[in-house]
Amino acid sequence: MTADADAAEAGAPEEGAGRSKKKLLIFGGAGLVLLAAVGGGAYYFLMGGGESVAPDGTAPDATVEQRPAVFFDLPEMTVNLSSEGRATYLRVRISLEVSDREMVQKIEPYLPRILDAFQVYLRELRPADLEGSSGLFRLKEELLRRINTAVYPARVEGVLFKEILVQ
């Protein structure tokens, strides 16, 4: 019996080693397949294998020319921010992006309304609201929403910061 027990004990580690080798091969193979898929996807997208799509989701037309943007500069604004303790000021120079010169002519009569909407909103901001790129992105989106409300039915395409200083 001792010979059988010794043989059984000797066989047990071999079976365990065989199972761990199989697991290693399976996981290694799966890892290689995953690595190849990621590499192939990266190659496809980085090397331009995909079809290009216009920003509106349609296929681009080679005959369509992109019209140059028109920019309209607003006067520099300086406002004090809502803060406790020491006064904090925001100085900002903004340029509006519009579709054409005709749109600038439609917007100019509303300049006092635009400046008023900006001043009221900017005075309510705290210095923490302007921190980081996400704070500036939210500020741009809010100003764009307010200006399009003020000049409706005219439309502004974008708000661009030429200068922004928090002091």
Side-chain angles (χ1 to χ4, degrees), residues 22-50:
K22 286 181 184 177
K23 286 182 182 178
L24 181 65
L25 288 174
I26 289 172
F27 286 125
L32 286 175
V33 169
L34 180 64
L35 187 62
V38 169
Y43 177 79
Y44 179 77
F45 287 111
L46 293 176
M47 299 310 267

Side-chain angles (χ1 to χ4, degrees), residues 65-72 95-107 144 147-148 151 153-160:
E65 280 188 38
Q66 184 177 6
R67 296 188 341 212
V70 176
F71 300 100
F72 176 63
S95 185
L96 304 177
E97 182 178 357
V98 294
S99 58
D100 54 27
R101 293 266 175 225
E102 183 181 310
M103 193 61 66
V104 171
Q105 293 171 353
K106 289 180 181 179
I107 290 172
L144 181 62
I147 194 169
N148 279 326
V151 300
R155 178 157 170 71
V156 172
E157 303 296 323
V159 172
L160 306 168

